[in-house]
Amino acid sequence: MGLFDKLKKPKMPERVYEAGVIFFPEEDPKKALNQVEELFHTEHQGDANSYTLHNGDMEIALLACGVSEEGDDGKYASEQIQGVGGYVYQVKTELVDIKRNLFYHLRQCKGVFRVTYSFESASQAETKEKEKQIRIPILQITEKLQGVVTFGNGLSLLDGQGRLILDKEGKSGLEFYMPAEKPVPDGWKSSASEESLERRNRSMALLREHHVYVTPWLPLLGEKEEEPGRTAEEVCGRAAALLVVSLYSECRVGEKQSYKEAREFVDPIIESYGAEEFFSPEERKYLNDPDSTEQTQIQYAWQYENLWVMEWALGLTEDLFWPTHICDVPGSVRIMSQGCSSMKELLAAARLRSRKELLDQADLIYRLHWACVDARVMGMPAPGGLEEGVVMERHRALFWLAGCDDMCLWDEVDLST
């Protein structure tokens, strides 16, 4: 080091200013500030929805804004939330489940903290170190409010632990991401039966295990476990009808058989089960229509999925798999043909599951169907690799089996979500 280097004046500290935004579900700015006060054991001053933290030369200023507010603050919150939601929606990424769940989280956000922070720094190294220190309480606030935060240019969204959820390149530091689940109000819970609420809670826990987000506000199934449900005779009759309809459809679509050829194949099966009396009006109309369209035939070919659920309900298989793929079609036919090829044999083999088990599965599939439909409406693939066609048909089968909607007829099962 030379003489002039020794005499060089040290660089004077400069004030560094940065900004960020925290997005969170709480829409009341004062309640959001109260949570921050609880976190740091201090109170904000005055009536404004603002809060300031000091640590030496480091300062963090927060301004809380909610979409329900009037004026500039409400406008700012709305614009920020809509803007970040639009940004996430257009990010191109292979991590579609993370993107979708982040979008859901932002969609439930109703408030924001406008964050500005500053500190003194005389070097790049000091700036980097103080930036790291000052972000710690900001991330703590984010975690406390079940929010997400973005710094600087807003192109990277982080969780309360500072982990990257998604950036503009579609990258993430997470294997999966689940939105915060805003709890339902006590009034909503008090109007529901304990049985229905417990059933819903079991479904929601299983959905979380599979990293599938479903809004907590969906209706509850009001049916009671102790009430009479479907009989084994009804379910066996439905299974027989579905077997015939499925095989007939496969003959028409898969084998390209004529109406006459397909009927010649299934008529002996109809006779062996006495299935004619078990067809629904729409099924009977379809089976008796020589001019049914290919689209209708494809639609009825999906009834193998319903047949599989009936076989599960009758205790003929234990495999009610997570609906990410179609059922074992040849296997579903084998179950019926090997030892259950007549109504007498089918009834003898049947061990109908309890209505509790049927209602549990009906509640779960209803929520899975909502997740598939909502994703499709948003122009995104179904979450967790779910196969929407399988989910929809399982919805039909399980709602009928569980006796939902006042033990409605097969053709009248409500598949709305």
Side-chain angles (χ1 to χ4, degrees):
M1 181 179 293
L3 176 62
F4 287 103
D5 291 319
K6 293 180 179 179
L7 297 175
K8 189 184 294 184
K9 292 182 178 179
K11 184 178 178 182
M12 296 297 294
E14 296 179 353
R15 195 78 186 168
V16 177
Y17 293 89
E18 297 291 348
V21 181
I22 302 173
F23 303 88
F24 50 84
E26 177 57 62
E27 64 180 308
D28 186 336
K30 294 191 183 304
K31 289 183 180 179
L33 284 171
N34 288 342
Q35 292 187 60
V36 176
E37 291 173 352
E38 291 173 6
L39 183 62
F40 297 110
H41 308 291
T42 57
E43 295 183 3
H44 73 285
Q45 303 298 316
D47 296 328
N49 295 331
S50 59
Y51 185 91
T52 304
L53 280 169
H54 293 278
N55 183 9
D57 63 283
M58 294 187 287
E59 178 182 284
I60 301 172
L62 305 172
L63 177 63
C65 306
V67 296
S68 60
E69 291 184 283
E70 297 181 356
D72 291 340
D73 286 352
K75 181 180 179 182
Y76 174 81
S78 297
E79 289 176 348
Q80 290 294 314
I81 292 170
Q82 290 172 11
V84 74
Y87 163 70
V88 167
Y89 186 82
Q90 59 82 35
V91 169
K92 290 179 170 48
T93 179
E94 295 180 357
L95 306 173
V96 181
D97 285 342
I98 288 177
K99 170 180 171 176
R100 181 193 306 103
N101 283 350
L102 175 57
F103 185 78
Y104 277 135
H105 193 153
L106 293 168
R107 197 165 70 172
Q108 71 182 21
C109 286
K110 303 297 181 184
V112 301
F113 269 134
R114 184 174 2 187
V115 184
T116 55
Y117 57 98
S118 61
F119 50 84
E120 299 286 344
S121 176
S123 67
Q124 288 186 347
E126 185 178 6
T127 297
K128 186 176 180 179
E129 180 58 31
K130 285 190 173 180
E131 177 87 17
K132 183 178 178 181
Q133 291 179 35
I134 206 166
R135 284 191 178 192
I136 292 173
I138 297 173
L139 292 172
Q140 289 175 329
I141 294 168
T142 304
E143 184 80 358
K144 176 75 172 177
L145 292 170
Q146 295 184 302
V148 296
V149 62
T150 180
F151 296 101
N153 59 18
L155 299 179
S156 298
L157 288 152
L158 312 177
D159 67 8
Q161 297 179 48
R163 299 175 299 185
L164 175 64
I165 305 171
L166 197 68
D167 66 12
K168 67 174 182 176
E169 304 297 335
K171 297 177 181 178
S172 176
L174 304 174
E175 292 184 9
F176 67 90
Y177 176 77
M178 286 295 289
E181 186 177 315
K182 190 176 181 181
V184 294
D186 291 337
W188 187 86
K189 292 181 182 180
S190 63
S191 63
S193 72
E194 193 65 27
E195 177 187 318
S196 296
L197 194 58
E198 288 177 357
R199 185 183 302 132
R200 173 259 189 199
N201 291 343
R202 287 193 293 271
S203 294
M204 294 297 281
L206 192 55
L207 290 165
R208 283 191 292 272
E209 284 182 27
H210 285 267
H211 308 146
V212 175
Y213 172 78
V214 172
T215 177
W217 301 96
L218 292 181
L220 303 174
L221 299 189
E223 288 74 17
K224 298 186 183 302
E225 297 166 8
E226 70 272 11
E227 294 172 345
R230 303 289 180 189
T231 64
E233 289 78 8
E234 285 180 280
V235 180
C236 285
R238 182 93 301 268
L242 289 167
L243 174 66
V244 171
V245 168
S246 301
L247 287 170
Y248 171 80
S249 301
E250 187 176 355
C251 288
R252 298 301 307 274
V253 178
E255 303 299 324
K256 303 300 180 184
Q257 292 182 3
S258 66
Y259 171 73
K260 183 174 182 295
E261 291 171 325
R263 283 304 304 248
E264 286 177 349
F265 180 81
V266 298
D267 281 348
I269 302 172
I270 294 174
E271 184 176 351
S272 68
Y273 287 103
E276 188 64 45
E277 66 177 287
F278 303 124
F279 296 129
S280 74
E282 289 298 320
E283 289 169 337
R284 186 172 288 107
K285 178 181 175 182
Y286 167 61
L287 290 170
N288 292 329
D289 181 8
D291 300 316
S292 60
T293 66
E294 183 178 19
Q295 183 59 41
T296 301
Q297 293 161 12
I298 292 172
Q299 174 187 334
Y300 275 98
W302 275 96
Q303 300 311 292
Y304 279 118
E305 299 300 331
N306 293 305
L307 172 60
W308 187 269
V309 178
M310 297 301 155
E311 292 168 341
W312 169 83
L314 290 168
L316 305 177
T317 178
E318 296 298 318
D319 187 17
L320 192 65
F321 54 90
W322 195 253
T324 54
H325 56 86
I326 64 172
C327 71
D328 178 1
V329 170
S332 68
V333 177
R334 282 196 300 272
I335 288 172
M336 298 289 282
S337 62
Q338 296 178 1
C340 300
S341 57
S342 69
M343 184 54 67
K344 182 178 180 181
E345 291 176 341
L346 183 58
L347 281 167
R351 299 292 182 271
L352 186 62
R353 296 179 188 272
S354 68
R355 197 178 190 196
K356 176 186 183 302
E357 195 169 358
L358 298 176
L359 283 167
D360 278 352
Q361 290 295 333
D363 186 271
L364 175 63
I365 202 66
Y366 172 65
R367 297 173 197 284
L368 283 172
H369 198 187
W370 177 92
C372 290
V373 171
D374 201 60
R376 173 163 47 82
V377 168
M378 292 193 298
M380 297 184 187
L386 292 169
E387 171 57 64
E388 185 176 352
V390 175
V391 172
M392 182 182 73
E393 294 305 334
R394 195 172 289 186
H395 182 170
R396 187 194 315 276
L398 286 166
F399 264 50
W400 182 86
L401 278 165
C404 299
D405 301 322
D406 298 321
M407 302 286 285
C408 67
L409 300 175
W410 180 255
D411 290 338
E412 297 173 5
V413 175
D414 183 4
L415 297 180
S416 62
T417 58

